PDB file of all heavy atoms in Angstrom:
ATOM      1  N   ASN A   9     106.216 118.967  96.908  1.00 89.00           N
ATOM      2  CA  ASN A   9     107.657 118.791  96.910  1.00 89.00           C
ATOM      3  C   ASN A   9     107.940 117.298  97.095  1.00 89.00           C
ATOM      4  O   ASN A   9     107.643 116.725  98.146  1.00 89.00           O
ATOM      5  CB  ASN A   9     108.289 119.610  98.042  1.00 89.00           C
ATOM      6  CG  ASN A   9     109.786 119.409  98.130  1.00 89.00           C
ATOM      7  OD1 ASN A   9     110.260 118.290  98.314  1.00 89.00           O
ATOM      8  ND2 ASN A   9     110.524 120.488  98.005  1.00 89.00           N
ATOM      9  N   VAL A  10     108.501 116.669  96.086  1.00 94.00           N
ATOM     10  CA  VAL A  10     108.631 115.215  96.077  1.00 94.00           C
ATOM     11  C   VAL A  10     109.473 114.698  97.235  1.00 94.00           C
ATOM     12  O   VAL A  10     109.089 113.720  97.893  1.00 94.00           O
ATOM     13  CB  VAL A  10     109.202 114.732  94.719  1.00 94.00           C
ATOM     14  CG1 VAL A  10     109.469 113.236  94.749  1.00 94.00           C
ATOM     15  CG2 VAL A  10     108.240 115.067  93.598  1.00 94.00           C
ATOM     16  N   GLU A  11     110.596 115.315  97.508  1.00 93.00           N
ATOM     17  CA  GLU A  11     111.458 114.835  98.591  1.00 93.00           C
ATOM     18  C   GLU A  11     110.752 114.904  99.941  1.00 93.00           C
ATOM     19  O   GLU A  11     110.751 113.944 100.712  1.00 93.00           O
ATOM     20  CB  GLU A  11     112.761 115.627  98.634  1.00 93.00           C
ATOM     21  CG  GLU A  11     113.740 115.082  99.658  1.00 93.00           C
ATOM     22  CD  GLU A  11     115.076 115.801  99.627  1.00 93.00           C
ATOM     23  OE1 GLU A  11     115.393 116.486  98.638  1.00 93.00           O
ATOM     24  OE2 GLU A  11     115.795 115.674 100.631  1.00 93.00           O
ATOM     25  N   GLU A  12     110.114 116.046 100.217  1.00 93.00           N
ATOM     26  CA  GLU A  12     109.372 116.182 101.472  1.00 93.00           C
ATOM     27  C   GLU A  12     108.196 115.214 101.524  1.00 93.00           C
ATOM     28  O   GLU A  12     107.905 114.620 102.555  1.00 93.00           O
ATOM     29  CB  GLU A  12     108.863 117.613 101.648  1.00 93.00           C
ATOM     30  CG  GLU A  12     109.943 118.617 101.932  1.00 93.00           C
ATOM     31  CD  GLU A  12     109.409 120.036 102.061  1.00 93.00           C
ATOM     32  OE1 GLU A  12     108.209 120.265 101.775  1.00 93.00           O
ATOM     33  OE2 GLU A  12     110.190 120.919 102.439  1.00 93.00           O
ATOM     34  N   ALA A  13     107.514 115.074 100.394  1.00 94.00           N
ATOM     35  CA  ALA A  13     106.336 114.203 100.341  1.00 94.00           C
ATOM     36  C   ALA A  13     106.703 112.750 100.601  1.00 94.00           C
ATOM     37  O   ALA A  13     106.031 112.059 101.369  1.00 94.00           O
ATOM     38  CB  ALA A  13     105.643 114.343  98.981  1.00 94.00           C
ATOM     39  N   THR A  14     107.780 112.282  99.983  1.00 94.00           N
ATOM     40  CA  THR A  14     108.151 110.882 100.172  1.00 94.00           C
ATOM     41  C   THR A  14     108.649 110.632 101.595  1.00 94.00           C
ATOM     42  O   THR A  14     108.311 109.607 102.197  1.00 94.00           O
ATOM     43  CB  THR A  14     109.198 110.436  99.131  1.00 94.00           C
ATOM     44  OG1 THR A  14     110.316 111.330  99.151  1.00 94.00           O
ATOM     45  CG2 THR A  14     108.591 110.397  97.728  1.00 94.00           C
ATOM     46  N   ASP A  15     109.397 111.566 102.140  1.00 94.00           N
ATOM     47  CA  ASP A  15     109.841 111.418 103.533  1.00 94.00           C
ATOM     48  C   ASP A  15     108.642 111.359 104.480  1.00 94.00           C
ATOM     49  O   ASP A  15     108.590 110.525 105.387  1.00 94.00           O
ATOM     50  CB  ASP A  15     110.763 112.572 103.944  1.00 94.00           C
ATOM     51  CG  ASP A  15     112.140 112.498 103.317  1.00 94.00           C
ATOM     52  OD1 ASP A  15     112.498 111.440 102.751  1.00 94.00           O
ATOM     53  OD2 ASP A  15     112.870 113.511 103.388  1.00 94.00           O
ATOM     54  N   ALA A  16     107.688 112.254 104.269  1.00 94.00           N
ATOM     55  CA  ALA A  16     106.506 112.306 105.135  1.00 94.00           C
ATOM     56  C   ALA A  16     105.654 111.045 104.983  1.00 94.00           C
ATOM     57  O   ALA A  16     105.150 110.501 105.976  1.00 94.00           O
ATOM     58  CB  ALA A  16     105.679 113.547 104.812  1.00 94.00           C
ATOM     59  N   LEU A  17     105.498 110.562 103.762  1.00 96.00           N
ATOM     60  CA  LEU A  17     104.697 109.357 103.544  1.00 96.00           C
ATOM     61  C   LEU A  17     105.326 108.143 104.222  1.00 96.00           C
ATOM     62  O   LEU A  17     104.631 107.336 104.845  1.00 96.00           O
ATOM     63  CB  LEU A  17     104.510 109.114 102.044  1.00 96.00           C
ATOM     64  CG  LEU A  17     103.637 107.925 101.656  1.00 96.00           C
ATOM     65  CD1 LEU A  17     102.265 107.992 102.312  1.00 96.00           C
ATOM     66  CD2 LEU A  17     103.502 107.848 100.141  1.00 96.00           C
ATOM     67  N   LEU A  18     106.625 108.031 104.131  1.00 95.00           N
ATOM     68  CA  LEU A  18     107.302 106.930 104.836  1.00 95.00           C
ATOM     69  C   LEU A  18     107.136 107.052 106.347  1.00 95.00           C
ATOM     70  O   LEU A  18     106.873 106.056 107.028  1.00 95.00           O
ATOM     71  CB  LEU A  18     108.783 106.902 104.486  1.00 95.00           C
ATOM     72  CG  LEU A  18     109.163 106.092 103.263  1.00 95.00           C
ATOM     73  CD1 LEU A  18     110.644 106.257 102.964  1.00 95.00           C
ATOM     74  CD2 LEU A  18     108.812 104.633 103.431  1.00 95.00           C
ATOM     75  N   GLU A  19     107.287 108.259 106.857  1.00 95.00           N
ATOM     76  CA  GLU A  19     107.125 108.444 108.301  1.00 95.00           C
ATOM     77  C   GLU A  19     105.714 108.085 108.740  1.00 95.00           C
ATOM     78  O   GLU A  19     105.521 107.418 109.762  1.00 95.00           O
ATOM     79  CB  GLU A  19     107.467 109.884 108.689  1.00 95.00           C
ATOM     80  CG  GLU A  19     107.487 110.071 110.188  1.00 95.00           C
ATOM     81  CD  GLU A  19     108.063 111.411 110.615  1.00 95.00           C
ATOM     82  OE1 GLU A  19     108.871 112.007 109.861  1.00 95.00           O
ATOM     83  OE2 GLU A  19     107.703 111.858 111.715  1.00 95.00           O
ATOM     84  N   LEU A  20     104.714 108.509 107.974  1.00 95.00           N
ATOM     85  CA  LEU A  20     103.331 108.138 108.300  1.00 95.00           C
ATOM     86  C   LEU A  20     103.139 106.633 108.261  1.00 95.00           C
ATOM     87  O   LEU A  20     102.467 106.056 109.126  1.00 95.00           O
ATOM     88  CB  LEU A  20     102.363 108.812 107.318  1.00 95.00           C
ATOM     89  CG  LEU A  20     102.118 110.301 107.515  1.00 95.00           C
ATOM     90  CD1 LEU A  20     101.389 110.883 106.307  1.00 95.00           C
ATOM     91  CD2 LEU A  20     101.336 110.545 108.797  1.00 95.00           C
TER      92      LEU A  20
END
Side-chain angles (χ1 to χ4, degrees):
N9 177 301
V10 174
E11 185 176 343
E12 289 178 352
T14 54
D15 287 347
L17 183 54
L18 272 175
E19 187 170 335
L20 285 168

